[in-house]
Amino acid sequence: MSPRTSTQLQALREERSMQILRAALKVFANQGYNGSTIEMIAREAGVAKGLLYSYFESKEKLLESLITYGLEKASAFLTEPPDGPQHTKEAFAANLRKMVQLFREEQDFWRLYSMLILQPKMAEKFKADAMSFLETYMSVYGSYFQQKQSKNPMAEAMLFGAVLDGLMFDLILSPDEYPLEEVLDMIIEKFA
Amino acid sequence: MSPRTSTQLQALREERSMQILRAALKVFANQGYNGSTIEMIAREAGVAKGLLYSYFESKEKLLESLITYGLEKASAFLTEPPDGPQHTKEAFAANLRKMVQLFREEQDFWRLYSMLILQPKMAEKFKADAMSFLETYMSVYGSYFQQKQSKNPMAEAMLFGAVLDGLMFDLILSPDEYPLEEVLDMIIEKFA
DNA sequence: ATTTTTTGACTGAACGTTCGGTCAAAATTA
DNA sequence: TAATTTTGACCGAACGTTCAGTCAAAAAAT
């Protein structure tokens, strides 16, 4: 029998696991997956490198856990129930700000995710998780462009998607100087 | 005296150099810089790996040559003199198509470049080349949004930049299904 | 005392880079 | 022209280093 209760044990392991995931995210995002070593991640987490292997079975599985967890967290954030009428200009603006907030709170994650999906082999690996998140995203924005007056709702939705992706990209490249508020107003003016 | 004339040698070396650069671009773009091996690049180029070191002094310098060359080529493409009036809606549309063409002709390069600038260390390394290209880009688009009627020309220019970045990103992720023509029309409708 | 967690020295495979040797082709010689 | 010399592009085995992953033993927890 175990000297500790299994629930206590589970909580401890959960916390260590998160500590390692946080460290891995930071290192992977800054050095890239192949440029990161297990040693770097262990040092960042403040533990010995052998310990990582009692929480994740390999470097590759560690990355997979990180991405799956990150996309699930993002989906959960997006599906928080909206607190007002939908399909209005105000709801559009609120959703837009929510997307930006989602991104800014998890910059490192989106930076890493962007790096990975640019490589075919990695994109393949995360296809399922990515599709799942895309569905969540579409449930937030999909209907907006359908009910809105537009010559070509599908093209407008695609373009808006590109705007979000490009905005994310540009915010990564110059997070401090970027005139975010003005650009958001411009997006609302053109798309809402 | 040299057994072969120096001009012949130079031409040979020039061709080999390009052959290696092409192979390196393909491998780097698909596997990422750290995920690529000199062996892979040599195999792709159809030469022995030792030969790479008589053309480029290291893996790192090979990458630097690749990026510098690619950005210079892109700048040259953009600075081809325009053949009509500027600042018109038609000129805007023509320039937009030129940007898309520039991207599609060098997809692998932009994919690699995007992956790299997401990593701080790499972004630092290519800062000078990137700034130089950005200036060329601004000379094509900068004045358009200034002379155009707009509540906030700077914000509109930034947003348009994000559109181009996001469009590039999305075209990388699904190059075949993407409804490019319809989205381009939508961009012209909203920005020209 | 017993069980679990943590450590870091260790291993072998894989990597970037080096280097002695080979060879086709150009220059030279006769 | 035919034989000889000279060149440097090219090859790939070998070297030192780095790294993911292992494991025996120490530390911690109760």
Side-chain angles (χ1 to χ4, degrees):
Chain A
M1 266 300 137
S2 162
R4 265 163 279 189
T5 69
S6 61
T7 47
Q8 273 180 315
L9 275 177
Q10 201 121 26
L12 273 172
R13 286 192 70 83
E14 179 67 22
E15 198 169 331
R16 265 272 194 268
S17 184
M18 289 301 299
Q19 178 188 358
I20 293 169
L21 282 174
R22 268 195 305 274
L25 174 56
K26 186 168 175 182
V27 175
F28 282 151
N30 282 308
Q31 320 287 332
Y33 174 70
N34 284 300
S36 302
T37 71
I38 291 291
E39 185 72 50
M40 288 178 195
I41 297 169
R43 202 178 313 129
E44 177 69 34
V47 299
K49 85 177 196 172
L51 190 62
L52 296 215
Y53 288 90
S54 77
Y55 287 86
F56 301 94
E57 68 182 57
S58 67
K59 186 187 177 186
E60 196 178 346
K61 283 278 199 309
L62 173 55
L63 177 71
E64 286 169 17
S65 300
L66 198 50
I67 298 300
T68 302
Y69 172 75
L71 286 178
E72 270 169 10
K73 198 172 151 191
S75 285
F77 180 86
L78 282 189
T79 19
E80 279 167 14
D83 53 57
Q86 290 305 99
H87 301 314
T88 66
K89 184 168 179 169
E90 288 68 33
F92 178 88
N95 275 332
L96 177 61
R97 275 168 202 287
K98 197 167 183 179
M99 288 299 285
V100 171
Q101 187 199 345
L102 169 63
F103 164 68
R104 300 201 108 182
E105 281 175 5
E106 301 290 346
Q107 269 223 42
D108 278 352
F109 173 77
W110 294 110
R111 187 149 56 91
L112 173 60
Y113 184 69
S114 301
M115 282 169 37
L116 293 173
I117 53 174
L118 291 173
Q119 292 174 244
K121 226 193 302 186
M122 293 289 188
E124 188 63 34
K125 183 180 298 184
F126 300 120
K127 213 171 196 170
D129 292 319
M131 288 298 289
S132 169
F133 176 73
L134 190 62
E135 273 173 36
T136 307
Y137 163 81
M138 284 303 290
S139 79
V140 174
Y141 279 108
S143 57
Y144 185 82
F145 288 101
Q146 281 181 341
Q147 62 83 42
K148 186 194 160 213
Q149 308 293 14
S150 171
K151 280 187 193 164
N152 189 338
M154 195 266 281
E156 189 166 5
M158 294 298 284
L159 176 54
F160 180 70
V163 166
L164 289 183
D165 290 341
L167 185 62
M168 183 180 83
F169 201 80
D170 293 357
L171 276 171
I172 288 174
L173 298 189
S174 48
D176 300 323
E177 309 101 88
Y178 201 89
L180 181 59
E181 284 308 318
E182 293 171 84
V183 173
L184 289 182
D185 287 345
M186 187 64 69
I187 294 174
I188 292 164
E189 185 186 318
K190 284 191 189 290
F191 288 91
Chain B
M1 264 301 140
S2 165
R4 262 161 279 191
T5 68
S6 61
T7 46
Q8 270 180 315
L9 276 180
Q10 203 126 18
L12 270 173
R13 286 191 70 82
E14 179 67 23
E15 197 170 330
R16 264 278 191 266
S17 184
M18 291 300 300
Q19 178 187 358
I20 293 170
L21 283 174
R22 269 195 304 275
L25 175 56
K26 185 168 175 182
V27 175
F28 281 151
N30 281 308
Q31 319 286 333
Y33 173 70
N34 284 301
S36 302
T37 72
I38 292 292
E39 184 75 48
M40 289 177 195
I41 296 169
R43 201 178 313 129
E44 177 70 34
V47 299
K49 66 179 178 170
L51 188 62
L52 298 214
Y53 288 88
S54 78
Y55 286 86
F56 300 94
E57 68 181 58
S58 67
K59 186 187 178 186
E60 196 178 347
K61 285 275 203 274
L62 172 56
L63 177 72
E64 285 168 18
S65 301
L66 198 51
I67 298 300
T68 302
Y69 172 76
L71 286 178
E72 270 168 10
K73 198 171 152 191
S75 285
F77 179 85
L78 282 190
T79 19
E80 281 167 12
D83 53 55
Q86 290 305 99
H87 300 314
T88 65
K89 184 167 178 169
E90 287 68 33
F92 178 89
N95 275 331
L96 177 61
R97 275 168 202 288
K98 197 168 183 178
M99 287 299 286
V100 171
Q101 188 199 344
L102 169 63
F103 163 69
R104 301 200 108 183
E105 281 174 5
E106 301 291 346
Q107 268 222 43
D108 278 352
F109 174 76
W110 294 110
R111 188 150 57 92
L112 173 59
Y113 183 68
S114 302
M115 283 171 36
L116 293 173
I117 54 174
L118 291 173
Q119 291 175 245
K121 226 192 303 186
M122 293 289 187
E124 188 63 34
K125 182 180 298 183
F126 300 120
K127 213 171 196 170
D129 291 319
M131 288 297 289
S132 169
F133 176 74
L134 190 62
E135 273 172 37
T136 307
Y137 164 81
M138 284 303 290
S139 79
V140 174
Y141 280 107
S143 57
Y144 184 83
F145 288 101
Q146 280 181 343
Q147 61 83 43
K148 187 196 160 212
Q149 308 293 13
S150 172
K151 279 187 194 168
N152 189 338
M154 195 265 282
E156 189 166 6
M158 294 298 285
L159 176 55
F160 180 69
V163 165
L164 289 183
D165 290 341
L167 185 62
M168 182 181 82
F169 200 81
D170 293 357
L171 276 171
I172 289 173
L173 298 189
S174 48
D176 299 323
E177 310 102 88
Y178 202 88
L180 180 58
E181 283 308 318
E182 292 171 84
V183 173
L184 288 183
D185 288 345
M186 187 65 69
I187 294 175
I188 292 163
E189 185 186 319
K190 284 191 189 291
F191 288 91

